[in-house]
């Protein structure tokens, strides 16, 4: 399902025929494996078509990823041949666990990721998924949540702004081109 959702939301592109799950393992797997209570998946008649994934405590999550998720991924996707360098996708997974500024984490200790198919016309469904996640994070003690969005993703920026998110950082996102939006809970 992880692969199916990612492929559907990313236009059907797949990075590696030899490892068909690697894209899903990189983009959705850590949240689904380490904090499933904050993962909400939307399905239609063709399968998964959207999701909202949350992390209650980003710092704790990063430590858990390094301790359990990354070793599992290194075992699952070993270097090819006699190469000692990690698989490119595994290296990208490690970079995905980058550091955020303390000033960000202090006010916004939780993180979310929202993906939906562009043709998902009924934004009330995405709104419902996001509201469910925000409610769960707040009920478990979070005071704020942030997410990274590419500045070119106008539809997502507009949706999150309507949901009460404000731009809090630009250029300090891991992608260095992203915009960090945050919302107090």
């Amino acid at each position: 399902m992880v692969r199916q959702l990612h492929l559907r939301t990313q236009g059907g592109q797949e990075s590696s025929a030899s490892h068909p799950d690697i894209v899903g393992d990189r983009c959705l797997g850590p949240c689904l494996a380490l904090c499933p209570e904050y993962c909400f998946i939307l399905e239609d008649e063709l399968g998964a078509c959207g999701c909202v994934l949350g992390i209650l405590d980003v710092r704790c999550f990063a430590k858990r990823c390094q301790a359990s998720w990354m070793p599992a991924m290194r075992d699952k996707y070993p270097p090819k041949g006699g190469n000692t360098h990690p698989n490119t996708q595994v290296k990208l997974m490690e970079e995905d666990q980058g550091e955020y500024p303390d000033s960000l984490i202090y006010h916004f200790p939780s993180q979310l990721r929202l993906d939906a198919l562009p043709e998902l016309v009924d934004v009330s469904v995405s709104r419902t998924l996001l509201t469910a996640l925000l409610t769960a994070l707040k009920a478990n003690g979070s005071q704020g949540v942030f997410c990274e969005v590419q500045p070119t993703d106008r539809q997502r920026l507009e949706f999150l702004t309507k949901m009460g998110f404000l731009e809090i950082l630009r250029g300090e996102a891991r992608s260095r081109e992203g915009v960090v939006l945050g919302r107090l809970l």
Side-chain angles (χ1 to χ4, degrees):
M1 179 180 79
V2 172
R3 176 175 170 253
Q4 177 189 19
L5 174 62
H6 185 75
L7 290 176
R8 286 189 68 196
T9 60
Q10 300 302 316
Q13 298 172 357
E14 187 171 343
S15 68
S16 174
S18 63
H19 295 296
D21 293 336
I22 200 163
V23 173
D25 283 344
R26 175 181 172 213
C27 298
L28 307 174
C31 288
L32 290 172
L34 300 176
C35 45
E37 64 275 20
Y38 302 110
C39 297
F40 299 89
I41 308 296
L42 178 63
E43 292 187 41
D44 63 12
E45 61 278 353
L46 299 175
C49 60
C51 71
V52 62
L53 309 172
I55 300 167
L56 181 64
D57 181 330
V58 171
R59 297 246 190 257
C60 181
F61 178 80
K63 289 176 186 173
R64 289 178 60 209
C65 273
Q66 289 304 319
S68 62
W69 183 255
M70 289 312 305
M73 294 299 99
R74 285 185 206 102
D75 289 344
K76 186 174 180 179
Y77 305 110
K80 294 180 181 175
N83 194 348
T84 58
H85 297 292
N87 180 305
T88 303
Q89 288 292 324
V90 172
K91 190 172 181 176
L92 290 172
M93 283 184 213
E94 290 171 345
E95 291 172 7
D96 285 346
Q97 301 308 313
E99 289 292 316
Y100 290 101
D102 289 336
S103 60
L104 171 68
I105 300 301
Y106 180 79
H107 294 288
F108 305 94
S110 301
Q111 184 179 18
L112 72 84
R113 178 181 177 144
L114 176 68
D115 280 313
L117 290 173
E119 62 266 17
L120 188 60
V121 177
D122 188 355
V123 294
S124 67
V125 176
S126 294
R127 186 180 307 115
T128 301
L129 283 176
L130 183 56
T131 301
L133 173 63
L134 297 176
T135 302
L137 291 171
K138 183 175 182 176
N140 286 288
S142 179
Q143 64 185 22
V145 62
F146 75 94
C147 63
E148 292 182 62
V149 180
Q150 292 301 311
T152 56
D153 191 348
R154 293 285 175 215
Q155 184 177 3
R156 191 176 319 242
L157 284 168
E158 182 179 320
F159 172 76
L160 289 167
T161 301
K162 286 181 181 178
M163 292 296 294
F165 284 80
L166 301 172
E167 183 177 328
I168 53 178
L169 290 175
R170 184 179 290 265
E172 290 189 43
R174 284 186 306 227
S175 67
R176 296 289 179 217
E177 298 165 4
V179 176
V180 178
L181 302 176
R183 175 182 162 166
L184 295 175
L185 299 176

